[in-house]
Amino acid sequence: MAELASLEDPRAREVNGRHGDDHGVNLGSLRALAKRLKTQPDLARELWQTDDSAARLVAILICRPKAFTRTELDAMLRAARTPKVHDWLVNYVVKKSPHGEELRVVWSADPDPVVASAGWALTTERVAKNPDGLDLTELLDVIEAGMKDAPDRLQWAMNHCLAQIGIEHPDHRARALDIGERLQVLKDYPTPPNCTSPYAPVWITEMVRRRTDPVGKGRLHDR
């Protein structure tokens, strides 16, 4: 914790704060520290219990994902209220856990929109990598009915799922494009030059184009 405190950078805190995060440590420095520590499950649990965001990010990097029970992961997700801790927990821990699919189903139906957004992130992963058993038509129905008025983080996660369905599944692409065009979610989201807009119709069209004509790829948007 003393070392994390010594890495505090006011500029990093300012930048992180604009994204809703409450720590002032550069992510590269966090990764370097975690690389030095290597996997330490017991230390990871201690760091998580500090309730400090920088410490929790290190904990995520040095933990053993399969060591956590379903109940522990659920509690950790509900305690992860800053975006970066939430995102890293889902991507680096839950996706590698044997409990991921069960939690995906439970979280997707949760009344807390931040928890539900984690369920949608896991669903997006399945849409891309393991769609067997998913009802893509039903997912599009839910997105069409609820994405427009969903809270920010949940809306973002549902929009990502919409785009992924359109990108990965040609049979559903026309409907995904139509939903995106009618709802116009994130149509005006500020997108830096050489990045792809998160607006689903643009995102889907660009990613499909790149797969057929990969010359001149740009970066995807980074929220």
Side-chain angles (χ1 to χ4, degrees):
M1 294 302 294
E3 184 166 354
L4 284 173
S6 73
L7 294 172
E8 175 77 19
D9 179 353
R11 174 59 179 162
R13 180 171 288 277
E14 178 186 349
V15 172
N16 292 335
R18 291 202 293 267
H19 298 283
D21 293 306
D22 61 355
H23 68 91
V25 183
N26 177 276
L27 296 181
S29 299
L30 285 177
R31 291 183 184 278
L33 175 58
K35 184 176 181 179
R36 194 182 81 229
L37 291 171
K38 300 181 180 179
T39 302
Q40 295 195 46
D42 292 339
L43 177 58
R45 290 178 185 275
E46 289 185 61
L47 289 173
W48 184 268
Q49 292 302 321
T50 65
D51 200 28
D52 176 85
S53 291
R56 284 185 164 183
L57 291 172
V58 174
I60 289 167
L61 295 174
I62 68 171
C63 76
R64 184 171 288 119
K66 294 181 180 180
F68 295 110
T69 67
R70 176 195 176 284
T71 300
E72 285 177 319
L73 289 174
D74 184 70
M76 291 167 72
L77 191 280
R78 294 175 190 280
R81 306 311 294 185
T82 61
K84 188 61 68 177
V85 173
H86 181 276
D87 291 343
W88 279 23
L89 180 65
V90 172
N91 286 295
Y92 299 159
V93 182
V94 181
K95 286 182 180 180
K96 299 177 182 179
S97 165
H99 308 293
E101 176 59 16
E102 183 180 0
L103 289 169
R104 180 189 74 81
V105 174
V106 172
W107 287 343
S108 294
D110 199 277
D112 183 330
V114 176
V115 175
S117 73
W120 279 94
L122 295 172
T123 298
T124 301
E125 179 87 352
R126 275 205 59 189
V127 165
K129 297 183 178 180
N130 183 28
D132 291 348
L134 285 179
D135 188 334
L136 298 181
T137 298
E138 182 179 0
L139 284 176
L140 289 173
D141 288 344
V142 175
I143 291 169
E144 185 173 21
M147 182 173 72
K148 180 74 171 179
D149 298 319
D152 179 59
R153 297 199 64 190
L154 178 56
Q155 183 185 73
W156 187 274
M158 294 174 79
N159 182 72
H160 190 177
C161 190
L162 173 67
Q164 205 67 55
I165 292 172
I167 293 164
E168 301 290 345
H169 301 280
D171 291 348
H172 296 275
R173 186 170 297 150
R175 187 181 176 201
L177 288 167
D178 177 65
I179 291 171
E181 288 167 358
R182 283 189 290 104
L183 299 186
Q184 298 195 355
V185 168
L186 300 176
K187 183 176 182 179
D188 299 321
Y189 189 83
T191 305
N194 300 318
C195 290
T196 302
S197 169
Y199 177 48
V202 173
W203 190 354
I204 293 167
T205 301
E206 175 62 13
M207 293 307 295
V208 171
R209 183 197 67 77
R210 290 185 194 183
R211 293 184 178 186
T212 57
D213 180 19
V215 177
K217 290 183 178 180
R219 292 194 305 119
L220 286 176
H221 62 274
D222 181 13
R223 193 181 191 199

